[in-house]
Protein backbone atom coordinates (compact mmCIF):
# COMPACT_ATOMS: atom_id res chain seq x y z
CA UNK A 1 0.00 0.00 0.00
CA UNK A 2 1.32 3.34 -0.96
CA UNK A 3 -0.59 6.05 0.64
CA UNK A 4 0.30 8.27 3.56
CA UNK A 5 -2.46 9.93 5.58
CA UNK A 6 -2.20 13.70 5.90
CA UNK A 7 -1.63 13.61 9.65
CA UNK A 8 0.49 10.44 9.72
CA UNK A 9 4.24 10.18 9.19
CA UNK A 10 3.95 11.67 5.73
CA UNK A 11 7.15 13.05 4.25
CA UNK A 12 5.44 16.34 3.49
CA UNK A 13 7.01 19.79 3.47
CA UNK A 14 7.21 21.72 6.71
CA UNK A 15 4.51 24.22 7.60
CA UNK A 16 6.05 27.31 6.10
CA UNK A 17 3.76 29.87 4.61
CA UNK A 18 5.45 31.22 1.52
CA UNK A 19 5.31 33.79 -1.20
CA UNK A 20 6.55 32.68 -4.61
CA UNK A 21 8.00 29.33 -3.46
CA UNK A 22 11.29 28.34 -5.05
CA UNK A 23 11.60 31.67 -6.86
CA UNK A 24 15.10 32.46 -8.13
CA UNK A 25 17.06 34.35 -5.51
CA UNK A 26 18.14 36.98 -8.04
CA UNK A 27 14.53 37.95 -8.63
CA UNK A 28 14.16 39.03 -5.00
CA UNK A 29 17.51 40.55 -4.19
CA UNK A 30 16.29 44.13 -4.22
CA UNK A 31 14.08 43.45 -1.20
CA UNK A 32 17.18 43.01 0.99
CA UNK A 33 18.69 46.40 0.25
CA UNK A 34 22.27 45.18 -0.26
CA UNK A 35 24.72 45.93 -3.01
CA UNK A 36 25.13 42.95 -5.39
CA UNK A 37 28.69 43.97 -6.22
CA UNK A 38 29.67 43.85 -2.57
CA UNK A 39 28.08 40.45 -2.16
CA UNK A 40 29.94 39.02 -5.12
CA UNK A 41 33.18 40.43 -3.76
CA UNK A 42 32.55 38.86 -0.38
CA UNK A 43 31.77 35.55 -2.05
CA UNK A 44 34.94 35.54 -4.13
CA UNK A 45 37.04 36.55 -1.13
CA UNK A 46 35.44 33.82 0.94
CA UNK A 47 36.11 31.26 -1.77
CA UNK A 48 39.80 32.20 -1.79
CA UNK A 49 40.18 32.40 1.99
CA UNK A 50 38.62 29.07 2.79
CA UNK A 51 39.90 27.39 -0.36
CA UNK A 52 36.50 26.43 -1.72
CA UNK A 53 36.15 26.49 -5.50
CA UNK A 54 33.15 28.36 -6.86
CA UNK A 55 31.79 25.16 -8.39
CA UNK A 56 31.66 23.58 -4.93
CA UNK A 57 29.83 26.63 -3.55
CA UNK A 58 27.25 26.34 -6.31
CA UNK A 59 26.82 22.65 -5.57
CA UNK A 60 26.50 23.21 -1.82
CA UNK A 61 23.95 26.01 -2.27
CA UNK A 62 21.68 23.69 -4.24
CA UNK A 63 21.09 21.73 -1.04
CA UNK A 64 19.57 24.70 0.80
CA UNK A 65 16.64 27.09 0.77
CA UNK A 66 16.88 30.65 2.05
CA UNK A 67 14.16 31.89 4.40
CA UNK A 68 13.75 35.68 4.58
CA UNK A 69 11.18 38.00 6.23
CA UNK A 70 8.12 38.43 4.05
CA UNK A 71 5.17 40.75 4.58
CA UNK A 72 2.42 41.06 7.17
CA UNK A 73 -0.76 41.75 5.18
CA UNK A 74 -3.78 43.21 6.94
CA UNK A 75 -6.90 41.04 6.58
CA UNK A 76 -9.67 43.33 5.37
CA UNK A 77 -13.15 43.22 3.87
CA UNK A 78 -12.40 46.36 1.84
CA UNK A 79 -13.02 46.11 -1.89
CA UNK A 80 -9.99 48.38 -2.32
CA UNK A 81 -7.72 45.42 -1.55
CA UNK A 82 -6.76 44.65 -5.14
CA UNK A 83 -3.91 43.13 -7.17
CA UNK A 84 -0.90 45.44 -7.50
CA UNK A 85 2.46 44.40 -8.97
CA UNK A 86 1.69 40.73 -8.48
CA UNK A 87 0.47 41.10 -4.87
CA UNK A 88 -2.69 42.31 -3.15
CA UNK A 89 -2.45 45.83 -1.74
CA UNK A 90 -4.55 48.75 -0.58
CA UNK A 91 -4.31 52.07 -2.46
CA UNK A 92 -1.60 53.32 -0.07
CA UNK A 93 0.54 50.26 -0.84
CA UNK A 94 -0.20 48.36 2.37
CA UNK A 95 -0.13 44.57 1.72
CA UNK A 96 -3.56 43.05 2.27
CA UNK A 97 -5.62 39.88 2.20
CA UNK A 98 -9.26 40.15 1.14
CA UNK A 99 -11.91 38.60 3.37
CA UNK A 100 -15.10 38.23 1.34
CA UNK A 101 -18.43 38.11 3.17
CA UNK A 102 -22.01 38.69 1.96
CA UNK A 103 -23.32 42.23 2.01
CA UNK A 104 -24.71 43.09 5.43
CA UNK A 105 -22.70 40.41 7.29
CA UNK A 106 -19.41 42.31 7.71
CA UNK A 107 -19.11 44.81 10.59
CA UNK A 108 -16.73 47.80 10.74
CA UNK A 109 -13.44 46.78 12.35
CA UNK A 110 -11.66 48.72 15.09
CA UNK A 111 -8.06 47.63 15.06
CA UNK A 112 -6.41 45.20 12.65
CA UNK A 113 -5.63 41.51 12.30
CA UNK A 114 -2.45 40.73 10.37
CA UNK A 115 -1.31 37.45 8.90
CA UNK A 116 2.35 36.98 7.96
CA UNK A 117 4.37 35.11 5.38
CA UNK A 118 7.95 34.06 4.75
CA UNK A 119 9.85 34.44 1.51
CA UNK A 120 11.38 31.13 0.47
CA UNK A 121 13.83 30.76 -2.40
CA UNK A 122 16.40 28.29 -3.62
CA UNK A 123 19.71 29.44 -2.09
CA UNK A 124 22.43 30.69 -4.42
CA UNK A 125 26.22 30.49 -4.07
CA UNK A 126 26.37 34.05 -2.69
CA UNK A 127 23.85 33.17 0.02
CA UNK A 128 25.85 30.05 0.90
CA UNK A 129 29.09 32.03 1.06
CA UNK A 130 27.50 34.64 3.37
CA UNK A 131 26.25 31.86 5.60
CA UNK A 132 29.64 30.12 5.72
CA UNK A 133 31.36 33.42 6.58
CA UNK A 134 28.80 34.32 9.26
CA UNK A 135 27.52 37.32 7.30
CA UNK A 136 23.94 36.19 6.70
CA UNK A 137 22.53 37.83 9.83
CA UNK A 138 19.70 36.86 12.16
CA UNK A 139 16.91 37.87 9.81
CA UNK A 140 17.63 35.15 7.24
CA UNK A 141 18.06 31.40 7.64
CA UNK A 142 19.61 28.72 5.48
CA UNK A 143 17.44 25.60 5.69
CA UNK A 144 18.50 22.20 4.28
CA UNK A 145 16.30 21.08 1.42
CA UNK A 146 15.53 17.83 3.25
CA UNK A 147 14.19 19.76 6.25
CA UNK A 148 12.03 21.98 4.06
CA UNK A 149 10.65 19.54 1.50
CA UNK A 150 11.38 16.11 2.95
CA UNK A 151 11.08 13.56 0.16
CA UNK A 152 8.45 15.64 -1.65
CA UNK A 153 9.63 16.55 -5.16
CA UNK A 154 10.25 20.28 -5.48
CA UNK A 155 7.81 20.33 -8.41
CA UNK A 156 5.03 19.50 -5.93
CA UNK A 157 5.77 22.27 -3.42
CA UNK A 158 3.83 24.99 -5.20
CA UNK A 159 0.74 22.79 -5.42
CA UNK A 160 1.05 21.91 -1.74
CA UNK A 161 1.30 25.57 -0.78
CA UNK A 162 -1.90 26.34 -2.67
CA UNK A 163 -3.73 23.37 -1.18
CA UNK A 164 -2.68 24.24 2.34
CA UNK A 165 -3.86 27.83 1.97
CA UNK A 166 -7.26 26.59 0.76
CA UNK A 167 -7.42 24.24 3.75
CA UNK A 168 -6.46 27.08 6.11
CA UNK A 169 -9.29 29.15 4.64
CA UNK A 170 -11.80 26.32 5.13
CA UNK A 171 -10.65 25.40 8.62
CA UNK A 172 -10.78 29.03 9.72
CA UNK A 173 -14.33 29.46 8.40
CA UNK A 174 -15.41 26.20 10.06
CA UNK A 175 -13.98 27.07 13.49
CA UNK A 176 -15.00 30.75 13.45
CA UNK A 177 -18.59 30.05 12.43
CA UNK A 178 -18.94 27.18 14.89
CA UNK A 179 -17.76 29.54 17.65
CA UNK A 180 -20.41 32.05 16.60
CA UNK A 181 -23.19 29.41 16.77
CA UNK A 182 -23.62 28.92 13.04
CA UNK A 183 -24.34 25.39 11.89
CA UNK A 184 -21.72 24.04 9.49
CA UNK A 185 -21.76 20.63 7.81
CA UNK A 186 -18.81 18.86 6.18
CA UNK A 187 -19.42 16.57 3.22
CA UNK A 188 -16.46 14.30 2.28
CA UNK A 189 -15.81 14.18 -1.47
CA UNK A 190 -12.81 11.86 -1.81
CA UNK A 191 -9.08 11.46 -1.18
CA UNK A 192 -7.22 14.56 -2.33
CA UNK A 193 -3.67 14.03 -3.57
CA UNK A 194 -1.33 16.43 -1.75
CA UNK A 195 1.91 15.13 -3.25
CA UNK A 196 3.15 12.48 -5.67
CA UNK A 197 6.55 10.97 -4.95
CA UNK A 198 8.93 10.86 -7.91
CA UNK A 199 9.41 7.58 -9.85
CA UNK A 200 6.59 5.81 -7.98
CA UNK A 201 3.63 3.88 -9.45
CA UNK A 202 1.36 6.91 -9.04
CA UNK A 203 3.94 9.18 -10.70
CA UNK A 204 4.31 6.79 -13.64
CA UNK A 205 0.53 6.48 -14.01
CA UNK A 206 0.13 10.25 -14.33
CA UNK A 207 -1.56 10.99 -10.98
CA UNK A 208 -1.10 14.69 -10.21
CA UNK A 209 -1.05 16.86 -7.11
CA UNK A 210 -4.57 18.13 -6.32
CA UNK A 211 -6.29 15.25 -8.13
CA UNK A 212 -9.12 13.63 -6.16
CA UNK A 213 -9.49 9.83 -6.01
CA UNK A 214 -13.09 8.71 -5.42
CA UNK A 215 -12.96 4.95 -6.04
CA UNK A 216 -10.64 1.94 -6.21
CA UNK A 217 -11.72 -0.88 -8.52
CA UNK A 218 -15.19 0.65 -8.52
CA UNK A 219 -15.45 0.72 -4.71
CA UNK A 220 -16.15 4.28 -3.48
CA UNK A 221 -13.52 5.95 -1.28
CA UNK A 222 -14.73 9.28 0.09
CA UNK A 223 -11.88 9.94 2.51
CA UNK A 224 -8.14 9.48 2.89
CA UNK A 225 -8.80 6.94 5.65
CA UNK A 226 -11.00 4.88 3.32
CA UNK A 227 -8.32 4.90 0.62
CA UNK A 228 -5.63 3.77 3.07
CA UNK A 229 -7.86 1.03 4.50
CA UNK A 230 -8.76 -0.26 1.03
CA UNK A 231 -5.16 -0.48 -0.19
CA UNK A 232 -3.59 -1.76 3.05
CA UNK A 233 -4.06 -5.50 2.38
CA UNK A 234 -3.32 -5.35 -1.38
CA UNK A 235 -0.08 -7.10 -2.36
CA UNK A 236 2.78 -5.67 -4.38
CA UNK A 237 2.40 -6.23 -8.13
CA UNK A 238 -1.38 -5.95 -8.06
CA UNK A 239 -2.97 -3.71 -10.70
CA UNK A 240 -5.71 -1.46 -9.31
CA UNK A 241 -7.99 0.95 -11.14
CA UNK A 242 -8.36 4.40 -9.56
CA UNK A 243 -11.23 6.75 -10.37
CA UNK A 244 -9.31 9.99 -10.65
CA UNK A 245 -10.77 13.48 -10.89
CA UNK A 246 -8.07 15.67 -12.50
CA UNK A 247 -6.99 18.83 -10.72
CA UNK A 248 -7.52 20.84 -13.90
CA UNK A 249 -11.15 19.78 -14.05
CA UNK A 250 -12.94 17.79 -16.69
CA UNK A 251 -14.43 14.32 -16.58
CA UNK A 252 -13.06 11.70 -14.15
CA UNK A 253 -10.80 9.06 -15.67
CA UNK A 254 -10.00 5.45 -14.88
CA UNK A 255 -6.27 5.06 -14.18
CA UNK A 256 -4.57 1.66 -13.98
CA UNK A 257 -1.71 1.49 -11.48
CA UNK A 258 0.58 -1.45 -10.71
CA UNK A 259 1.51 -1.28 -7.04
CA UNK A 260 5.13 -1.82 -6.04
CA UNK A 261 6.94 -2.88 -2.89
CA UNK A 262 7.37 -0.07 -0.33
CA UNK A 263 10.90 1.44 -0.33
CA UNK A 264 13.04 0.77 2.73
CA UNK A 265 13.12 4.50 3.55
CA UNK A 266 9.33 4.59 3.70
CA UNK A 267 9.16 1.45 5.84
CA UNK A 268 11.68 3.04 8.22
CA UNK A 269 9.26 5.93 8.70
CA UNK A 270 6.57 3.56 9.96
CA UNK A 271 4.78 2.58 6.76
CA UNK A 272 3.05 -0.80 7.23
CA UNK A 273 1.24 -1.45 3.95
CA UNK A 274 2.01 -4.46 1.77
CA UNK A 275 2.39 -2.34 -1.37
CA UNK A 276 3.29 1.16 -2.42
CA UNK A 277 1.45 3.74 -4.51
CA UNK A 278 3.50 6.86 -3.75
CA UNK A 279 1.09 9.61 -2.78
CA UNK A 280 0.27 11.77 0.23
CA UNK A 281 -3.46 12.29 0.68
CA UNK A 282 -6.01 14.08 2.81
CA UNK A 283 -9.81 14.07 2.75
CA UNK A 284 -11.34 16.62 0.39
CA UNK A 285 -14.41 18.09 2.07
CA UNK A 286 -17.06 20.52 0.96
CA UNK A 287 -18.27 22.85 3.69
CA UNK A 288 -21.98 23.54 3.85
CA UNK A 289 -21.90 27.08 5.27
CA UNK A 290 -25.01 29.15 5.99
CA UNK A 291 -23.51 31.81 3.68
CA UNK A 292 -20.32 32.11 1.61
CA UNK A 293 -17.05 32.98 3.39
CA UNK A 294 -13.74 33.11 1.55
CA UNK A 295 -10.26 34.57 1.88
CA UNK A 296 -8.20 35.77 -1.10
CA UNK A 297 -4.50 35.78 -0.18
CA UNK A 298 -3.22 36.21 -3.72
CA UNK A 299 -0.05 34.22 -4.39
CA UNK A 300 0.64 33.46 -0.72
CA UNK A 301 0.46 29.76 0.12
CA UNK A 302 0.83 27.48 3.11
CA UNK A 303 -1.23 26.54 6.19
CA UNK A 304 0.04 28.94 8.83
CA UNK A 305 -2.55 31.68 8.35
CA UNK A 306 -5.29 29.58 9.95
CA UNK A 307 -5.29 31.37 13.31
CA UNK A 308 -5.16 34.83 11.75
CA UNK A 309 -8.00 33.98 9.34
CA UNK A 310 -10.13 32.65 12.21
CA UNK A 311 -9.67 35.83 14.25
CA UNK A 312 -10.45 38.06 11.28
CA UNK A 313 -13.61 36.14 10.37
CA UNK A 314 -14.85 36.19 13.97
CA UNK A 315 -14.04 39.90 14.30
CA UNK A 316 -15.89 40.88 11.14
CA UNK A 317 -18.93 38.67 11.71
CA UNK A 318 -19.41 39.78 15.32
CA UNK A 319 -18.86 43.31 16.58
CA UNK A 320 -15.54 44.41 15.09
CA UNK A 321 -14.11 44.84 18.61
CA UNK A 322 -12.24 41.56 19.00
CA UNK A 323 -8.77 43.16 19.18
CA UNK A 324 -9.79 46.07 21.39
CA UNK A 325 -8.58 48.46 18.68
CA UNK A 326 -5.05 46.99 18.64
CA UNK A 327 -2.92 45.89 15.71
CA UNK A 328 -2.69 42.14 16.26
CA UNK A 329 -0.66 39.65 14.22
CA UNK A 330 -0.94 35.87 14.43
CA UNK A 331 0.63 32.73 12.98
CA UNK A 332 -0.35 29.12 13.56
CA UNK A 333 -2.39 26.41 11.93
CA UNK A 334 -6.02 26.12 13.03
CA UNK A 335 -7.34 22.69 13.98
CA UNK A 336 -11.02 21.84 13.84
CA UNK A 337 -10.87 21.44 17.64
CA UNK A 338 -9.52 24.97 18.08
CA UNK A 339 -5.92 23.88 18.58
CA UNK A 340 -3.13 26.15 17.34
CA UNK A 341 -0.48 24.10 15.53
CA UNK A 342 3.21 24.76 14.94
CA UNK A 343 4.34 26.43 11.75
CA UNK A 344 7.86 27.47 10.77
CA UNK A 345 9.92 30.50 9.85
CA UNK A 346 8.79 32.22 13.05
CA UNK A 347 11.99 34.28 13.32
CA UNK A 348 11.43 35.76 9.86
CA UNK A 349 7.74 36.28 10.57
CA UNK A 350 8.53 38.16 13.77
CA UNK A 351 10.74 40.57 11.85
CA UNK A 352 7.97 41.11 9.29
CA UNK A 353 5.15 41.80 11.79
CA UNK A 354 7.29 44.18 13.82
CA UNK A 355 8.18 46.09 10.65
CA UNK A 356 4.44 46.28 9.88
CA UNK A 357 3.78 47.94 13.25
CA UNK A 358 2.05 45.07 15.04
CA UNK A 359 1.67 45.52 18.80
CA UNK A 360 0.93 41.88 19.64
CA UNK A 361 2.08 38.69 17.93
CA UNK A 362 0.42 35.37 18.78
CA UNK A 363 2.68 32.39 18.03
CA UNK A 364 2.45 28.62 18.68
CA UNK A 365 3.62 27.86 22.19
CA UNK A 366 6.58 25.72 21.11
CA UNK A 367 7.98 28.51 18.93
CA UNK A 368 8.11 31.30 21.51
CA UNK A 369 11.91 31.22 21.77
CA UNK A 370 12.31 31.62 18.01
CA UNK A 371 10.14 34.73 18.05
CA UNK A 372 11.70 36.27 21.15
CA UNK A 373 15.22 35.84 19.73
CA UNK A 374 14.57 38.61 17.18
CA UNK A 375 11.65 40.61 18.65
CA UNK A 376 12.25 44.23 19.58
CA UNK A 377 10.89 46.08 22.60
CA UNK A 378 7.87 47.40 20.70
CA UNK A 379 6.36 43.96 20.03
CA UNK A 380 4.72 41.72 22.63
CA UNK A 381 5.07 38.04 21.67
CA UNK A 382 2.39 35.80 23.21
CA UNK A 383 2.60 31.97 23.06
CA UNK A 384 -0.72 30.13 22.70
CA UNK A 385 -1.93 26.56 22.22
CA UNK A 386 -5.65 27.13 21.54
CA UNK A 387 -8.00 29.67 20.04
CA UNK A 388 -9.67 29.92 23.45
CA UNK A 389 -6.42 31.20 24.96
CA UNK A 390 -6.12 33.86 22.26
CA UNK A 391 -9.66 35.10 22.83
CA UNK A 392 -9.20 35.18 26.59
CA UNK A 393 -5.96 37.16 26.30
CA UNK A 394 -7.50 39.65 23.86
CA UNK A 395 -10.33 40.24 26.30
CA UNK A 396 -8.37 40.41 29.54
CA UNK A 397 -5.19 42.22 28.41
CA UNK A 398 -6.26 44.26 25.41
CA UNK A 399 -9.89 45.17 26.00
CA UNK A 400 -11.32 42.99 23.25
CA UNK A 401 -15.07 42.51 23.30
CA UNK A 402 -15.93 38.89 22.66
CA UNK A 403 -19.19 37.81 21.04
CA UNK A 404 -21.27 35.13 22.75
CA UNK A 405 -19.29 31.97 22.02
CA UNK A 406 -20.39 28.37 21.78
CA UNK A 407 -17.78 27.23 24.31
CA UNK A 408 -15.78 30.19 25.72
CA UNK A 409 -12.23 29.38 26.71
CA UNK A 410 -12.38 25.82 25.35
CA UNK A 411 -11.95 26.44 21.65
Amino acid sequence: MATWGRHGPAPAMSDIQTTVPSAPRSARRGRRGRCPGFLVSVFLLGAVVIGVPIAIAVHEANGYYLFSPGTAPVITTSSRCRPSNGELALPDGTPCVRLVLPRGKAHPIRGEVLMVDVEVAQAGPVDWAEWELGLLGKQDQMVPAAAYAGTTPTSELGCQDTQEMVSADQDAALVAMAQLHYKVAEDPEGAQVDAVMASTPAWQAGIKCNDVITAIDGKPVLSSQALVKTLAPVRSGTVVVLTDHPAAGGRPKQVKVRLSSPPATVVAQGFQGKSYLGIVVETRVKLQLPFPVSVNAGQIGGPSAGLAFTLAIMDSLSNGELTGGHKVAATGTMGSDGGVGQVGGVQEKTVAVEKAGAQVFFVPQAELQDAESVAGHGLVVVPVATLGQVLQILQQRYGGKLPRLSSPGKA
Side-chain angles (χ1 to χ4, degrees):
M1 204 275 293
T3 314
W4 292 84
R6 182 61 173 163
H7 300 293
M13 63 178 286
S14 58
D15 291 328
I16 305 294
Q17 184 159 296
T18 61
T19 52
V20 197
S22 301
R25 179 62 179 150
S26 59
R28 321 171 27 252
R29 190 169 299 284
R31 298 284 298 272
R32 298 178 68 187
R34 299 183 185 177
C35 173
F38 170 74
L39 291 180
V40 172
S41 297
V42 170
F43 168 64
L44 293 176
L45 176 61
V48 173
V49 170
I50 62 178
V52 178
I54 293 178
I56 293 180
V58 172
H59 173 76
E60 291 293 333
N62 286 337
Y64 291 88
Y65 282 86
L66 184 70
F67 286 14
S68 302
T71 59
V74 58
I75 305 174
T76 177
T77 58
S78 173
S79 60
R80 297 189 301 167
C81 178
R82 298 175 180 174
S84 175
N85 298 321
E87 299 179 350
L88 295 177
L90 293 169
D92 64 358
T94 300
C96 62
V97 166
R98 176 81 187 280
L99 171 61
V100 182
L101 298 171
R103 186 182 298 273
K105 291 293 184 181
H107 292 77
I109 302 297
R110 190 171 71 90
E112 293 180 346
V113 175
L114 310 180
M115 61 160 281
V116 59
D117 60 54
V118 174
E119 288 191 1
V120 180
Q122 178 68 55
V126 172
D127 303 312
W128 183 82
E130 288 184 298
W131 180 54
E132 283 290 307
L133 295 171
L135 301 176
L136 195 59
K138 294 178 64 175
Q139 292 194 1
D140 298 330
Q141 289 188 82
M142 291 281 280
V143 178
Y148 174 55
T151 58
T152 302
T154 55
S155 60
E156 302 286 277
L157 296 182
C159 178
Q160 282 193 346
D161 274 346
T162 301
Q163 286 180 340
E164 288 171 336
M165 178 58 78
V166 171
S167 295
D169 183 355
Q170 286 193 331
D171 292 343
L174 175 67
V175 173
M177 298 190 80
Q179 282 286 314
L180 298 174
H181 300 277
Y182 290 103
K183 292 184 178 180
V184 181
E186 297 180 78
D187 295 334
E189 296 184 315
Q192 174 180 291
V193 179
D194 285 353
V196 183
M197 302 300 106
S199 303
T200 62
W203 180 283
Q204 295 166 356
I207 303 296
K208 303 292 185 182
C209 176
N210 213 30
D211 285 4
V212 178
I213 298 171
T214 58
I216 300 174
D217 291 335
K219 180 180 178 181
V221 290
L222 296 181
S223 67
S224 59
Q225 293 87 349
L227 187 144
V228 170
K229 183 177 180 180
T230 300
L231 289 180
V234 180
R235 294 186 177 279
S236 172
T238 303
V239 175
V240 297
V241 179
L242 307 179
T243 301
D244 180 46
H245 297 251
R251 303 180 70 175
K253 56 185 180 180
Q254 303 301 308
V255 180
K256 291 184 178 181
V257 183
R258 184 179 296 277
L259 304 177
S260 66
S261 298
T265 54
V266 173
V267 174
Q269 292 174 343
F271 184 79
Q272 298 179 348
K274 294 182 178 180
S275 58
Y276 185 66
L277 181 59
I279 59 177
V280 177
V281 293
E282 67 176 312
T283 302
R284 168 77 67 87
V285 298
K286 182 178 181 180
L287 295 182
Q288 299 292 344
L289 302 175
F291 49 82
V293 176
S294 64
V295 182
N296 179 9
Q299 296 183 9
I300 301 174
S304 65
L307 175 58
F309 286 172
T310 303
L311 294 175
I313 293 170
M314 290 186 65
D315 200 12
S316 187
L317 286 179
S318 56
N319 51 29
E321 297 282 343
L322 195 63
T323 69
H326 293 82
K327 198 168 188 175
V328 174
T331 187
T333 62
M334 188 79 265
S336 59
D337 61 352
V340 176
Q342 293 185 46
V343 287
V346 172
Q347 288 182 213
E348 292 76 24
K349 291 177 180 179
T350 304
V351 173
V353 299
E354 189 161 24
K355 184 177 179 180
Q359 298 163 285
V360 186
F361 187 27
F362 290 105
V363 302
Q365 199 161 31
E367 295 172 290
L368 172 64
Q369 187 174 354
D370 290 340
E372 288 186 331
S373 69
V374 294
H377 297 297
L379 179 67
V380 178
V381 180
V382 183
V384 292
T386 68
L387 174 63
Q389 285 182 320
V390 177
L391 299 177
Q392 187 176 47
I393 291 168
L394 286 174
Q395 181 183 45
Q396 295 179 353
R397 300 185 194 175
Y398 299 100
K401 296 180 181 178
L402 304 186
R404 187 173 63 89
L405 303 177
S406 58
S407 54
K410 296 182 180 180

